[in-house]
Amino acid sequence: SAVISQKPSRDICQRGTSLTIQCQVDSQVTMMFWYRQQPGQSLTLIATANQGSEATYESGFVIDKFPISRPNLTFSTLTVSNLSPEDSSIYLCSVAGTGLNTEAFFGQGTRLTVV
Amino acid sequence: QKEVEQDPGPLSVPEGAIVSLNCTYSNSAFQYFMWYRQYSRKGPELLMYTYSSGNKEDGRFTAQVDKSSKYISLFIRDSQPSDSATYLCAMKETSGSRLTFGEGTQLTVNP
């Protein structure tokens, strides 16, 4: 398993500003994922971040709104830009293992409230 | 139609009850099936992981996969108040591909 540290754990931000969320893993991983979990909803994949290449975004998510960095195999950031109240959600990073046991492990999440 | 369907509940049971949580899916290419537990204000925690069809048991938890019916289940025996959480099923096609989650079932076990 992997230990994932995500910060901040929560934040309250003004509309129009941006929030950058950091995700640190205790081991090197190839694939890192960023999810959004809106209140009472399941997880929706925002993008997949691979080291050394541009992130791959899912339908409905764009780089201008959710820029992602992946400078090395243990770290990634997700920025939520030009915040609006609709961005209030929990944001989670996760990593996949290697080989056949590619189950995903999650950070504790960042609870964002936009006011 | 969603790829993965899960009854959101809420489900409330007395302590000691057997709990059955279920998901159905439409994508026959799904090969890996997982169950996650998510406590309030926490990230999901992997509970069970199954490849293809069959059963898998871990303590009080049993995961079943029936690929012919596109149906997976998680059984919790002798349920405890500490099992109160949201349970999410997830699945994926091949090693390394992205997960598709169900909506999650909110479970409360009453002492």
Side-chain angles (χ1 to χ4, degrees):
Chain A
S1 65
V3 177
I4 303 169
S5 300
Q6 190 175 335
K7 58 181 180 181
S9 58
R10 60 176 59 214
D11 207 341
I12 300 173
C13 299
Q14 297 289 326
R15 67 178 67 198
T17 64
S18 298
L19 175 70
T20 295
I21 303 167
Q22 298 180 3
C23 183
Q24 179 76 52
V25 188
D26 68 342
S27 58
Q28 294 184 339
V29 293
T30 303
M31 302 174 76
M32 296 181 74
F33 306 88
W34 287 98
Y35 286 87
R36 182 174 71 185
Q37 187 176 28
Q38 294 179 307
Q41 303 290 317
S42 188
L43 284 75
T44 301
L45 181 65
I46 297 171
T48 302
N50 292 325
Q51 195 268 336
S53 63
E54 293 288 328
T56 303
Y57 289 83
E58 297 297 307
S59 176
F61 298 96
V62 295
I63 188 171
D64 289 347
K65 176 68 174 177
F66 298 100
I68 287 171
S69 76
R70 183 79 200 274
N72 57 53
L73 291 173
T74 64
F75 187 78
S76 178
T77 67
L78 169 74
T79 299
V80 189
S81 304
N82 189 24
L83 291 168
S84 68
E86 293 71 33
D87 295 320
S88 297
S89 189
I90 298 172
Y91 293 86
L92 295 147
C93 71
S94 82
V95 303
T98 56
L100 287 178
N101 291 328
T102 55
E103 63 272 28
F105 302 94
F106 287 85
Q108 293 297 291
T110 296
R111 183 177 294 270
L112 169 62
T113 303
V114 182
V115 297
Chain B
Q1 182 187 4
K2 295 178 183 177
E3 276 193 296
V4 179
E5 299 274 2
Q6 183 177 8
D7 185 345
L11 180 62
S12 182
V13 302
E15 184 175 354
I18 297 175
V19 176
S20 173
L21 304 167
N22 311 294
C23 289
T24 59
Y25 62 94
S26 57
N27 184 351
S28 58
F30 284 140
Q31 297 285 341
Y32 296 83
F33 304 92
M34 298 106 176
W35 286 95
Y36 288 85
R37 178 175 62 195
Q38 187 175 23
Y39 291 113
S40 180
R41 301 180 183 273
K42 298 288 186 182
E45 168 195 10
L46 181 65
L47 264 183
M48 300 285 287
Y49 169 94
T50 308
Y51 172 70
S52 194
S53 286
N55 295 356
K56 187 172 185 179
E57 187 173 322
D58 184 1
R60 296 185 295 112
F61 298 90
T62 300
Q64 289 185 351
V65 175
D66 182 349
K67 292 189 69 180
S68 63
S69 302
K70 298 189 178 66
Y71 187 88
I72 69 170
S73 301
L74 178 70
F75 297 96
I76 307 174
R77 292 183 298 279
D78 187 24
S79 57
Q80 303 295 310
S82 58
D83 295 327
S84 298
T86 296
Y87 290 80
L88 297 143
C89 65
M91 43 200 82
K92 62 183 179 180
E93 294 183 10
T94 58
S95 173
S97 62
R98 68 178 181 91
L99 293 173
T100 302
F101 283 86
E103 288 189 29
T105 300
Q106 184 179 344
L107 170 67
T108 300
V109 180
N110 301 300

